[in-house]
């Protein structure tokens, strides 16, 4: 924000689209890192930067980008996200006027949209805060737990069962890393394509506990190349979660619509409404759309 004042530069939607475009480039320029894409890890950064919100106290959330500071950057749940923060830092150097909170959340939007997901409404307005704004550890979900824990964590942010199940569909993307969470492997066969395969696979495959030295996780009996966390599998076991998971397995359009709404809400958690520049969120264009 101080940069904005210093240069008297008031960015427009077109300026944010330039940042979006640069994010899209950088996400793709990943060499042999994880299927050649930083998209999934950048999406996870946006989620972990926002998912610390507590509606009872109004603390946490995406406003202050406090994951820049220790100890939050070192919280167990954030292991590996330095990769995403470093990728984002390159862009921050080029567009110094954008706040980290806006940059990270816009990157989450770009990751979803560029990996063929739904359009996600987004608007700028987050400001860079201080270490004193940092949330305590333990606000993000623990993958070894069951339905009560998932509800505790997401109800605290202000989400309901339908939104919880929709948000979990992000696990169509990316993978677990043994040196980060201890878990291992991808959820789907196309970890850089946003699809509803996560739900389809949950119901269509037979899931068995993997026999290994790592934390308890499931593997698909047929190929043994996919994984589910205990918290993923719960979506097929809990009656209320299951209803939505089944609906998303059967209807990709419904999943896209509901994911977009819940994810847009997630990205705005903890940001006072008056800070938002626009009264309505924007739809940023994909790189492909700008070509035609
Ligand atoms: Fe997740 N997630 N997530 N997740 N997540 C992991 C990876 C990724 C949980 C645990 C893990 C969401 C919900 C949950 C993404 C997006 C989202 C990993 C592996 C664990 C563990 C980390 C590693 O080893 O690198 C749990 C538990 C929950 C829950 O209880 C609901 C949500 C809501 C999102 C979202 O984006 C909206 C993405 C993307 C990844 C892949 C990251 C990567 O590097 O690849």
């Amino acid at each position: 924000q101080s940069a904005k004042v210093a240069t008297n530069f008031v960015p427009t939607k077109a300026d944010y689209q330039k940042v979006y475009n640069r994010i899209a480039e950088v996400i793709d320029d990943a060499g042999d890192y994880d299927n050649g894409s930083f998209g999934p890890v950048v999406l996870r950064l946006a989620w972990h930067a926002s998912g610390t919100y507590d509606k009872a106290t109004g603390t946490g959330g995406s406003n202050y980008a406090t994951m820049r500071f220790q100890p939050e950057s070192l919280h167990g749940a954030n292991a590996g996200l330095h990769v995403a923060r470093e990728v984002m830092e390159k862009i921050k150097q080029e567009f110094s006027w954008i706040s980290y909170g806006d940059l990270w959340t816009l990157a989450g939007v770009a990751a979803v949209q560029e990996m063929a997901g739904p359009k996600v409404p987004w608007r700028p307005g987050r400001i860079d805060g201080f270490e004193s704004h940092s949330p305590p550890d333990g606000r993000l979900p623990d993958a070894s737990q069951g339905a009560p824990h998932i509800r505790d964590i997401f109800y605290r942010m202000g989400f309901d069962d339908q939104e919880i199940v929709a948000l979990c569909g992000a696990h169509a993307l990316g993978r677990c890393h043994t040196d980060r969470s201890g878990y291992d492997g991808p959820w789907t066969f196309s970890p850089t394509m946003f699809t509803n395969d996560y739900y389809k696979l949950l119901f269509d495959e037979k899931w068995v506990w993997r026999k290994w030295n790592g934390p308890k996780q499931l593997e698909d009996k047929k190929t043994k190349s996919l994984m589910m966390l205990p918290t993923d599998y719960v979506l097929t076991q809990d009656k209320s979660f299951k209803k939505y998971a089944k609906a998303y397995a059967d209807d990709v359009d419904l999943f896209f619509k509901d994911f977009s709404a819940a994810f847009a809400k997630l990205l705005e958690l903890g940001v006072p409404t008056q800070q938002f520049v626009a009264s309505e969120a924007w739809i940023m264009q994909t790189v492909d759309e700008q070509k035609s």
Side-chain angles (χ1 to χ4, degrees):
Q1 221 209 3
S2 54
K4 257 187 229 170
V5 175
T7 60
N8 221 3
F9 173 62
V10 182
T12 62
K13 186 175 175 189
D15 293 305
Y16 288 101
Q17 183 70 58
K18 280 184 200 152
V19 181
Y20 175 107
N21 293 353
R22 187 71 185 113
I23 294 167
E25 259 175 30
V26 168
I27 282 176
D28 261 357
D29 188 17
D32 51 16
Y33 175 83
D34 274 14
N35 301 86
S37 175
F38 290 121
V41 76
V42 160
L43 170 56
R44 190 166 199 239
L45 173 64
W47 139 236
H48 279 206
S50 310
T52 54
Y53 183 63
D54 173 21
K55 68 173 182 188
T57 58
T59 56
S62 68
N63 196 26
Y64 299 125
T66 48
M67 207 199 293
R68 289 170 297 144
F69 309 117
Q70 291 183 7
E72 190 180 348
S73 58
L74 303 176
H75 287 170
N78 293 330
L81 291 182
H82 65 279
V83 171
R85 289 195 303 274
E86 280 159 22
V87 168
M88 288 298 109
E89 191 56 38
K90 267 196 254 179
I91 297 171
K92 173 72 180 174
Q93 298 306 319
E94 293 168 39
F95 301 91
S96 58
W97 48 266
I98 196 169
S99 71
Y100 281 96
D102 281 345
L103 177 60
W104 292 355
T105 53
L106 180 58
V109 169
V112 168
Q113 294 190 171
E114 296 300 318
M115 291 189 286
K119 290 302 193 67
V120 180
W122 176 90
R123 54 188 167 164
R126 295 157 196 80
I127 56 176
D128 290 335
F130 301 97
E131 194 195 323
S132 58
H133 294 118
S134 302
D137 198 0
R139 290 227 176 145
L140 292 161
D142 170 354
S144 70
Q145 304 274 325
H149 170 77
I150 300 175
R151 288 201 171 89
D152 281 350
I153 294 282
F154 282 89
Y155 288 5
R156 188 206 67 226
M157 296 177 223
F159 290 112
D160 62 22
D161 285 2
Q162 175 258 307
E163 293 169 310
I164 293 172
V165 177
L167 286 170
C168 289
H171 283 174
L173 300 166
R175 60 178 298 121
C176 296
H177 305 78
T178 48
D179 59 339
R180 298 181 187 175
S181 61
Y183 295 100
D184 177 39
W187 291 266
T188 68
F189 293 110
S190 51
T192 61
M193 279 277 286
F194 197 94
T195 64
N196 66 339
D197 287 357
Y198 167 82
Y199 307 103
K200 288 191 191 168
L201 289 160
L202 268 173
F203 291 106
D204 292 351
E205 297 307 315
K206 185 153 172 52
W207 295 96
V208 296
W209 294 109
R210 175 168 168 182
K211 293 194 181 65
W212 74 319
N213 283 330
K216 260 184 99 168
Q217 66 174 65
L218 297 117
E219 65 183 7
D220 69 305
K221 203 172 174 196
K222 212 188 299 163
T223 73
K224 296 186 184 304
S225 59
L226 301 179
M227 68 95 58
M228 290 289 168
L229 299 165
T231 42
D232 296 312
Y233 194 64
V234 160
L235 303 190
T236 68
Q237 303 300 301
D238 178 271
K239 205 174 153 210
S240 165
F241 288 158
K242 184 178 176 179
K243 182 177 81 180
Y244 299 112
K246 195 93 197 66
Y248 297 144
D250 291 343
D251 187 343
V252 67
D253 295 336
L254 179 70
F255 167 53
F256 271 37
K257 176 175 112 3
D258 286 357
F259 179 85
S260 170
F263 189 57
K265 175 174 161 180
L266 173 70
L267 298 182
E268 294 199 351
L269 294 180
V271 189
T273 312
Q274 67 271 19
Q275 265 180 231
F276 286 117
V277 173
S279 58
E280 268 183 53
W282 299 335
I283 301 291
M284 308 306 287
Q285 288 194 299
T286 64
V287 170
D288 271 357
E289 281 169 340
Q290 295 167 69
K291 279 181 195 151
S292 52

